[in-house]
Amino acid sequence: MAPLLGTVLAFVLGGLGLLHLIWAAGLSFPFPNEQSLARSVVGRRGITRLPSHASVALLGVLLLGGGAAAVIMGHFEDAFPPLKYLLVPVGLFLSGVFFIRAVVGVLPAFERAAPEQPYLTLNRRLYSPLCFLIGLAFLALTFSLPNWSWRLAQVFG
């Protein structure tokens, strides 16, 4: 199960990372213009442009890194002996990041800060549930690692 889950998670995160890099390059795909893109993926009140291209590119690179972590956790944990002890903390960290984004995304205070449509609807129906599923997938990958509890004890003493 872990190899398939790692592959699927890598494709999802890789696709999201590439999409962010496309946006950082100045394209608004699949939206008609930058204002529509900003209102759909950022949603802050009165937004007309994306945040800096560097911040969008950084998020894209981080998502690609998460995809690489998913592939390593799902397929190649034994192929990278120096990384073996980092996989459990990295998996738990990434799981926590996506769980936090999922929960914060549906809090009323967050929704008041990002009320633009269609972002609000997309966040409720797609972004937050997807983040929750990604968090679950990283948790499952972490728990599928051999001797994960022993590795966690080695890292945190």
Short mmCIF file of all heavy atoms in Angstrom, two decimals, residues 32-69:
data_model
loop_
_atom_site.label_atom_id
_atom_site.label_comp_id
_atom_site.label_asym_id
_atom_site.label_seq_id
_atom_site.Cartn_x
_atom_site.Cartn_y
_atom_site.Cartn_z
N PRO A 32 -8.89 33.03 -16.34
CA PRO A 32 -8.77 33.93 -17.49
C PRO A 32 -7.78 35.09 -17.28
O PRO A 32 -7.21 35.58 -18.25
CB PRO A 32 -10.19 34.46 -17.70
CG PRO A 32 -10.90 34.20 -16.42
CD PRO A 32 -10.23 33.04 -15.76
N ASN A 33 -7.58 35.52 -16.02
CA ASN A 33 -6.66 36.64 -15.77
C ASN A 33 -6.14 36.56 -14.34
O ASN A 33 -6.59 35.73 -13.54
CB ASN A 33 -7.36 37.98 -16.02
CG ASN A 33 -8.63 38.14 -15.22
OD1 ASN A 33 -8.68 37.82 -14.03
ND2 ASN A 33 -9.69 38.60 -15.88
N GLU A 34 -5.19 37.45 -14.01
CA GLU A 34 -4.55 37.39 -12.70
C GLU A 34 -5.52 37.73 -11.57
O GLU A 34 -5.44 37.16 -10.49
CB GLU A 34 -3.34 38.32 -12.65
CG GLU A 34 -2.57 38.15 -11.36
CD GLU A 34 -1.29 38.96 -11.30
OE1 GLU A 34 -1.08 39.83 -12.16
OE2 GLU A 34 -0.51 38.71 -10.37
N GLN A 35 -6.46 38.64 -11.81
CA GLN A 35 -7.42 38.98 -10.77
C GLN A 35 -8.30 37.78 -10.43
O GLN A 35 -8.54 37.49 -9.25
CB GLN A 35 -8.29 40.16 -11.20
CG GLN A 35 -9.25 40.58 -10.12
CD GLN A 35 -10.06 41.80 -10.50
OE1 GLN A 35 -10.05 42.23 -11.65
NE2 GLN A 35 -10.77 42.37 -9.54
N SER A 36 -8.75 37.08 -11.43
CA SER A 36 -9.55 35.87 -11.19
C SER A 36 -8.74 34.80 -10.46
O SER A 36 -9.24 34.13 -9.56
CB SER A 36 -10.05 35.33 -12.53
OG SER A 36 -10.74 34.13 -12.36
N LEU A 37 -7.46 34.67 -10.85
CA LEU A 37 -6.57 33.73 -10.17
C LEU A 37 -6.41 34.09 -8.70
O LEU A 37 -6.56 33.25 -7.82
CB LEU A 37 -5.20 33.72 -10.87
CG LEU A 37 -4.07 32.97 -10.17
CD1 LEU A 37 -4.38 31.49 -10.08
CD2 LEU A 37 -2.76 33.21 -10.91
N ALA A 38 -6.14 35.36 -8.42
CA ALA A 38 -5.93 35.81 -7.04
C ALA A 38 -7.19 35.62 -6.20
O ALA A 38 -7.12 35.19 -5.05
CB ALA A 38 -5.50 37.27 -7.03
N ARG A 39 -8.35 35.93 -6.77
CA ARG A 39 -9.59 35.75 -6.03
C ARG A 39 -9.94 34.29 -5.81
O ARG A 39 -10.66 33.95 -4.88
CB ARG A 39 -10.74 36.45 -6.75
CG ARG A 39 -10.67 37.94 -6.62
CD ARG A 39 -11.87 38.60 -7.20
NE ARG A 39 -11.81 40.04 -6.90
CZ ARG A 39 -12.61 40.91 -7.43
NH1 ARG A 39 -13.54 40.53 -8.29
NH2 ARG A 39 -12.49 42.18 -7.11
N SER A 40 -9.41 33.41 -6.65
CA SER A 40 -9.70 31.98 -6.53
C SER A 40 -8.74 31.24 -5.61
O SER A 40 -9.12 30.26 -4.99
CB SER A 40 -9.67 31.32 -7.91
OG SER A 40 -10.66 31.87 -8.74
N VAL A 41 -7.48 31.69 -5.53
CA VAL A 41 -6.50 30.93 -4.76
C VAL A 41 -5.99 31.65 -3.52
O VAL A 41 -5.35 31.02 -2.67
CB VAL A 41 -5.31 30.46 -5.63
CG1 VAL A 41 -5.79 29.57 -6.75
CG2 VAL A 41 -4.52 31.62 -6.16
N VAL A 42 -6.23 32.96 -3.40
CA VAL A 42 -5.80 33.69 -2.20
C VAL A 42 -7.01 34.17 -1.42
O VAL A 42 -7.14 33.91 -0.23
CB VAL A 42 -4.87 34.88 -2.55
CG1 VAL A 42 -4.46 35.63 -1.29
CG2 VAL A 42 -3.65 34.39 -3.31
N GLY A 43 -7.91 34.89 -2.07
CA GLY A 43 -9.19 35.23 -1.49
C GLY A 43 -9.25 36.36 -0.49
O GLY A 43 -10.30 36.60 0.11
N ARG A 44 -8.12 37.06 -0.23
CA ARG A 44 -8.18 38.18 0.70
C ARG A 44 -9.12 39.26 0.17
O ARG A 44 -9.27 39.45 -1.03
CB ARG A 44 -6.78 38.77 0.92
CG ARG A 44 -5.92 37.94 1.82
CD ARG A 44 -4.69 38.71 2.27
NE ARG A 44 -4.00 39.32 1.16
CZ ARG A 44 -2.82 38.94 0.69
NH1 ARG A 44 -2.18 37.95 1.28
NH2 ARG A 44 -2.27 39.54 -0.33
N ARG A 45 -9.70 39.99 1.08
CA ARG A 45 -10.65 41.04 0.73
C ARG A 45 -10.02 42.04 -0.24
O ARG A 45 -8.95 42.58 0.02
CB ARG A 45 -11.11 41.74 2.00
CG ARG A 45 -12.26 42.68 1.83
CD ARG A 45 -12.66 43.34 3.14
NE ARG A 45 -12.66 42.46 4.29
CZ ARG A 45 -13.66 41.65 4.65
NH1 ARG A 45 -14.74 41.60 3.91
NH2 ARG A 45 -13.57 40.89 5.72
N GLY A 46 -10.67 42.25 -1.37
CA GLY A 46 -10.23 43.25 -2.34
C GLY A 46 -8.98 42.89 -3.13
O GLY A 46 -8.40 43.75 -3.78
N ILE A 47 -8.57 41.65 -3.11
CA ILE A 47 -7.34 41.26 -3.80
C ILE A 47 -7.52 41.32 -5.31
O ILE A 47 -8.58 40.97 -5.84
CB ILE A 47 -6.87 39.86 -3.37
CG1 ILE A 47 -5.44 39.62 -3.85
CG2 ILE A 47 -7.82 38.78 -3.85
CD1 ILE A 47 -4.76 38.47 -3.15
N THR A 48 -6.51 41.84 -6.00
CA THR A 48 -6.55 41.91 -7.46
C THR A 48 -5.33 41.24 -8.10
O THR A 48 -5.34 40.99 -9.30
CB THR A 48 -6.59 43.38 -7.94
OG1 THR A 48 -5.45 44.07 -7.44
CG2 THR A 48 -7.88 44.06 -7.48
N ARG A 49 -4.28 40.99 -7.29
CA ARG A 49 -3.06 40.35 -7.82
C ARG A 49 -2.58 39.31 -6.82
O ARG A 49 -2.86 39.40 -5.63
CB ARG A 49 -1.94 41.38 -8.00
CG ARG A 49 -2.23 42.47 -8.98
CD ARG A 49 -1.12 43.48 -9.00
NE ARG A 49 0.12 42.83 -8.59
CZ ARG A 49 1.32 43.26 -8.88
NH1 ARG A 49 1.47 44.35 -9.54
NH2 ARG A 49 2.39 42.59 -8.47
N LEU A 50 -1.81 38.37 -7.32
CA LEU A 50 -1.18 37.39 -6.44
C LEU A 50 -0.14 38.07 -5.56
O LEU A 50 0.37 39.13 -5.92
CB LEU A 50 -0.47 36.31 -7.26
CG LEU A 50 -1.33 35.22 -7.87
CD1 LEU A 50 -0.45 34.25 -8.65
CD2 LEU A 50 -2.11 34.47 -6.83
N PRO A 51 0.20 37.46 -4.43
CA PRO A 51 1.35 37.96 -3.67
C PRO A 51 2.59 37.87 -4.57
O PRO A 51 2.52 37.44 -5.71
CB PRO A 51 1.45 36.99 -2.50
CG PRO A 51 0.12 36.35 -2.40
CD PRO A 51 -0.45 36.35 -3.78
N SER A 52 3.73 38.21 -4.06
CA SER A 52 4.94 38.26 -4.87
C SER A 52 5.17 36.93 -5.60
O SER A 52 4.85 35.86 -5.08
CB SER A 52 6.15 38.58 -4.00
OG SER A 52 6.48 37.48 -3.19
N HIS A 53 5.75 37.03 -6.78
CA HIS A 53 6.04 35.83 -7.55
C HIS A 53 7.02 34.93 -6.81
O HIS A 53 6.95 33.71 -6.93
CB HIS A 53 6.57 36.20 -8.94
CG HIS A 53 5.54 36.84 -9.81
ND1 HIS A 53 4.45 36.14 -10.29
CD2 HIS A 53 5.40 38.10 -10.26
CE1 HIS A 53 3.70 36.94 -11.02
NE2 HIS A 53 4.24 38.15 -11.01
N ALA A 54 7.91 35.53 -6.04
CA ALA A 54 8.88 34.73 -5.28
C ALA A 54 8.18 33.88 -4.22
O ALA A 54 8.54 32.71 -4.02
CB ALA A 54 9.91 35.65 -4.62
N SER A 55 7.18 34.43 -3.55
CA SER A 55 6.48 33.64 -2.52
C SER A 55 5.67 32.51 -3.14
O SER A 55 5.60 31.41 -2.58
CB SER A 55 5.59 34.54 -1.66
OG SER A 55 4.55 35.10 -2.43
N VAL A 56 5.08 32.76 -4.30
CA VAL A 56 4.33 31.72 -4.98
C VAL A 56 5.29 30.62 -5.48
O VAL A 56 5.01 29.44 -5.37
CB VAL A 56 3.50 32.30 -6.14
CG1 VAL A 56 2.78 31.21 -6.91
CG2 VAL A 56 2.49 33.32 -5.62
N ALA A 57 6.46 31.04 -5.99
CA ALA A 57 7.47 30.08 -6.44
C ALA A 57 7.99 29.25 -5.26
O ALA A 57 8.19 28.04 -5.38
CB ALA A 57 8.61 30.79 -7.14
N LEU A 58 8.21 29.91 -4.12
CA LEU A 58 8.68 29.19 -2.94
C LEU A 58 7.67 28.13 -2.52
O LEU A 58 8.04 26.99 -2.21
CB LEU A 58 8.95 30.15 -1.79
CG LEU A 58 9.34 29.50 -0.46
CD1 LEU A 58 10.67 28.75 -0.60
CD2 LEU A 58 9.43 30.55 0.64
N LEU A 59 6.40 28.47 -2.52
CA LEU A 59 5.37 27.49 -2.18
C LEU A 59 5.37 26.33 -3.18
O LEU A 59 5.24 25.17 -2.79
CB LEU A 59 3.99 28.15 -2.12
CG LEU A 59 2.84 27.26 -1.66
CD1 LEU A 59 3.12 26.61 -0.32
CD2 LEU A 59 1.56 28.06 -1.61
N GLY A 60 5.57 26.64 -4.46
CA GLY A 60 5.66 25.59 -5.46
C GLY A 60 6.83 24.66 -5.22
O GLY A 60 6.70 23.43 -5.31
N VAL A 61 7.98 25.22 -4.87
CA VAL A 61 9.16 24.40 -4.59
C VAL A 61 8.93 23.55 -3.34
O VAL A 61 9.31 22.38 -3.29
CB VAL A 61 10.42 25.29 -4.45
CG1 VAL A 61 11.59 24.51 -3.91
CG2 VAL A 61 10.76 25.91 -5.80
N LEU A 62 8.29 24.12 -2.32
CA LEU A 62 8.00 23.36 -1.10
C LEU A 62 7.04 22.21 -1.39
O LEU A 62 7.20 21.11 -0.84
CB LEU A 62 7.44 24.27 -0.01
CG LEU A 62 8.43 25.28 0.58
CD1 LEU A 62 7.71 26.24 1.52
CD2 LEU A 62 9.56 24.58 1.29
N LEU A 63 6.05 22.44 -2.23
CA LEU A 63 5.13 21.36 -2.60
C LEU A 63 5.86 20.26 -3.37
O LEU A 63 5.62 19.07 -3.14
CB LEU A 63 3.97 21.91 -3.42
CG LEU A 63 2.94 22.72 -2.63
CD1 LEU A 63 2.03 23.50 -3.57
CD2 LEU A 63 2.14 21.83 -1.72
N LEU A 64 6.77 20.64 -4.27
CA LEU A 64 7.57 19.64 -4.99
C LEU A 64 8.44 18.86 -4.01
O LEU A 64 8.62 17.65 -4.16
CB LEU A 64 8.42 20.31 -6.07
CG LEU A 64 7.67 20.84 -7.28
CD1 LEU A 64 8.61 21.63 -8.19
CD2 LEU A 64 6.99 19.72 -8.05
N GLY A 65 8.99 19.55 -3.02
CA GLY A 65 9.78 18.87 -1.98
C GLY A 65 8.93 17.89 -1.19
O GLY A 65 9.39 16.79 -0.85
N GLY A 66 7.69 18.26 -0.90
CA GLY A 66 6.78 17.34 -0.23
C GLY A 66 6.49 16.13 -1.09
O GLY A 66 6.39 15.00 -0.60
N GLY A 67 6.37 16.34 -2.40
CA GLY A 67 6.18 15.21 -3.31
C GLY A 67 7.39 14.28 -3.32
O GLY A 67 7.25 13.05 -3.34
N ALA A 68 8.58 14.87 -3.29
CA ALA A 68 9.80 14.05 -3.22
C ALA A 68 9.84 13.26 -1.92
O ALA A 68 10.21 12.07 -1.92
CB ALA A 68 11.04 14.95 -3.35
N ALA A 69 9.45 13.88 -0.82
CA ALA A 69 9.41 13.17 0.46
C ALA A 69 8.42 12.01 0.40
O ALA A 69 8.69 10.92 0.92
CB ALA A 69 9.03 14.13 1.59
#
